[in-house]
Amino acid sequence: MIDELLQPVGYEFFRNGLIVATLAGALCGGVGVYIVVRGMSYLTHGLSHAIFGGFAASALLGVSFLLGAGVWGIASALAINSVTRRRPIGADAAIGVVTTASFALGLILFALFGRSGRSFDAALFGSVLGVSTGSVVAILAVSLLVLGVVIFFYRPLLFTTFDPEVAAASGLRTSRVEALLMVVFAVSILVSMQVLGVTLIAAALVIPPTTARLLTHSFSKMLIISSAIGAGCGFVGMNLSYHLDVQSGPGIVIVAALAFVVVYAIKRPSGMQRAIA
Amino acid sequence: MRRSLEQQPDEPLVRIVDLGLSHHHQQILEKVNLTIEAGSLLGLVGPSGAGKTTLLRTITGTLRPDTGSVEMRAGLSIGYVPQLETVNWNFPTTVSECVLMARTSRRFAWPTSSERALLSGILARLGLDGLANRHIRELSGGQQQRVFIARALLRSPDLLLLDEPTSGVDVAMRHELLHLLEELRASGMSIVLTTHDLNGVATHLPAVACINRSIIAQGPTEEVLTPETLELTYGASMQILEHAGLRLIVESPRHTHPPFGNDANPLLGQKR
């Protein structure tokens, strides 16, 4: 039984996949806290679909996925940020237009020039296959970078997220802080996309923070708990996906959803927590 | 335009000169002239949509005037207390996290020992001791208001700005707040607050400025709050009754005409 469970660890691709999934879970769990408390879950859908356009374009042009989709993703994130700051246009609608257009472009590029169905499936739903050592290094580097940003800019990030008006009144350059957050979102989604997939990455960004919110009302604790839940779900979900022979994205997300259900059942929301941020 | 004033004792902290600001082709502030002297406790009084919050935002620098200037004493530090209605009460933040986040001179999460001492001193001063680890939503209205005042005080401001600090609060809490503001002023802080509550707040302040798109009058409360000024500010006829040393402002029963300011201030829709 134990041997059977440990069997996949013998394969290098699986070991890489497991490391990436665990780190991606922790990364998305932590970064997702800033998204969930702002009520910006729609942004994650938008951003991951926008990055899909860059993914397809980089495949077509034969450039590195991280480079192509990275530039595309960061540009989209900053564009979304500037749209969000202009209120007369409905931010959600504008994001819907920009990012679904980018996604549609990706689909068209794949349909016209895509080589096989597998890479397309992998992009949409995540795949443990083809997780190279390079992917491990990339996600490790981004995780350390994001950790550094969260620690070093903790108070400006928190102040701007909670109370942008007063933060600005107190002399913080909130537009820069928000741009920094958008870049953090974009690079985190970028390096997590390979194992989680475009369609399911939003769940990795939303479910662990939502679960953590049920367990604490402290922001710093929520960051830690959410990252831990994300990492655990990444690890367990990746193993589950191997044994059930399903894509890695659904495996990870179903474990996260189960974790939420369990916590929700145990910690029946009190009046105070009923309306989750 | 923002300029610095000389750091002389007789210079005011803030001097606003001919300030004008419009938004979406609607004039919100027009030829506003206002001075905030050191050690003042000033109420900005006017109807909804008169531009009170907008004026506070031009002082903090989050809004730039189209015309005129805001001159500030060099190195002036400002503490800002937002309206409680604009706070996201579902946000995961404890009292100590909420107060500490504004001290951005240090960026890390964990406070230094001197910050911890400062925090516990301020919480104790505002009667919030023992509540540091509670979620902000679990507190009473008065305690919630004091958390945001504590957050502003942690920055040791020279000037404290409060936006409608008494809106939606009961009588006891209103008295408590006015008492606290008087104490802070006695300790050397200058305070400006906005209010549309004439009897509950304005008449208890030493000085007020009546505003409706521009400043109608500024000065000692008993001189400024006259039926004439109030009618110009609110567009409604009002009378002042004196009873047992108290001044009570009441609406006249006769027909009133609408004020020239209105509720359609587009900037107010921008609050979070």
Side-chain angles (χ1 to χ4, degrees), chain A:
Chain A
M1 172 80 178
I2 300 280
D3 286 349
E4 205 174 299
L5 282 176
L6 289 178
Q7 183 233 339
V9 183
Y11 304 118
E12 194 196 346
F13 82 91
F14 186 79
R15 280 201 303 274
N16 284 345
L18 200 58
I19 295 169
V20 170
T22 308
L23 283 174
L27 180 64
C28 290
V31 165
V33 168
Y34 290 95
I35 293 171
V36 167
V37 297
R38 291 169 161 228
M40 286 175 80
S41 303
Y42 64 91
L43 175 81
T44 61
H45 277 285
L47 214 47
S48 57
H49 284 68
I51 287 173
F52 179 77
F55 179 78
S58 57
L60 173 66
L61 295 171
V63 298
S64 146
F65 157 71
L66 281 177
L67 183 72
V71 170
W72 194 298
I74 290 171
S76 310
L78 294 175
I80 289 170
N81 190 39
S82 68
V83 168
T84 313
R85 296 179 73 81
R86 292 211 185 116
R87 294 204 167 233
I89 310 164
D92 53 344
I95 288 166
V97 172
V98 171
T99 60
T100 48
S102 179
F103 183 60
L105 181 65
L107 289 175
I108 290 170
L109 290 176
F110 258 113
L112 292 179
F113 306 103
R115 275 167 299 168
S116 68
R118 174 186 266 183
S119 59
F120 178 69
D121 257 17
L124 285 187
F125 304 113
S127 170
V128 69
L129 296 169
V131 176
S132 62
T133 313
S135 311
V136 177
V137 172
I139 197 160
L140 195 63
V142 167
S143 298
L144 288 174
L145 190 75
V146 169
L147 184 68
V149 167
V150 168
I151 289 176
F152 194 69
F153 293 100
Y154 180 84
R155 289 186 196 176
L157 287 174
L158 174 58
F159 201 6
T160 304
T161 301
F162 176 54
D163 209 343
E165 172 77 32
V166 182
S170 307
L172 263 189
R173 296 185 175 182
T174 50
S175 56
R176 287 190 186 182
V177 177
E178 296 204 342
L180 176 70
L181 259 182
M182 292 303 287
V183 172
V184 163
F185 296 159
V187 294
S188 302
I189 289 173
L190 182 70
V191 293
S192 308
M193 233 173 78
Q194 196 166 14
V195 288
L196 289 162
V198 170
T199 50
L200 294 166
I201 199 159
L205 286 156
V206 172
I207 300 177
T210 309
T211 311
R213 181 69 184 90
L214 292 172
L215 296 168
T216 183
H217 50 232
S218 150
F219 188 80
S220 55
K221 284 182 188 156
M222 187 175 165
L223 272 177
I224 295 166
I225 295 171
S226 180
S227 302
I229 291 174
C233 294
F235 184 85
V236 176
M238 184 54 98
N239 277 292
L240 186 75
S241 76
Y242 178 86
H243 291 288
L244 294 182
D245 194 20
V246 296
Q247 293 104 330
S248 49
I252 293 167
V253 171
I254 204 72
V255 172
L258 279 173
F260 171 79
V261 170
V262 169
V263 171
Y264 185 80
I266 296 170
K267 299 275 293 185
R268 194 161 280 280
S270 63
M272 194 279 286
Q273 288 174 318
R274 194 158 290 138
I276 287 180

Side-chain angles (χ1 to χ4, degrees), chain B residues 131-162:
Chain B
L131 300 176
N133 293 318
R134 296 275 287 277
H135 187 259
I136 50 169
R137 191 169 172 164
E138 293 172 14
L139 310 178
S140 72
Q143 289 167 337
Q144 288 174 338
Q145 181 67 260
R146 279 178 275 141
V147 167
F148 286 88
I149 294 176
R151 187 174 74 171
L153 293 184
L154 194 71
R155 299 166 58 86
S156 311
D158 308 307
L159 175 62
L160 184 65
L161 305 176
L162 303 99

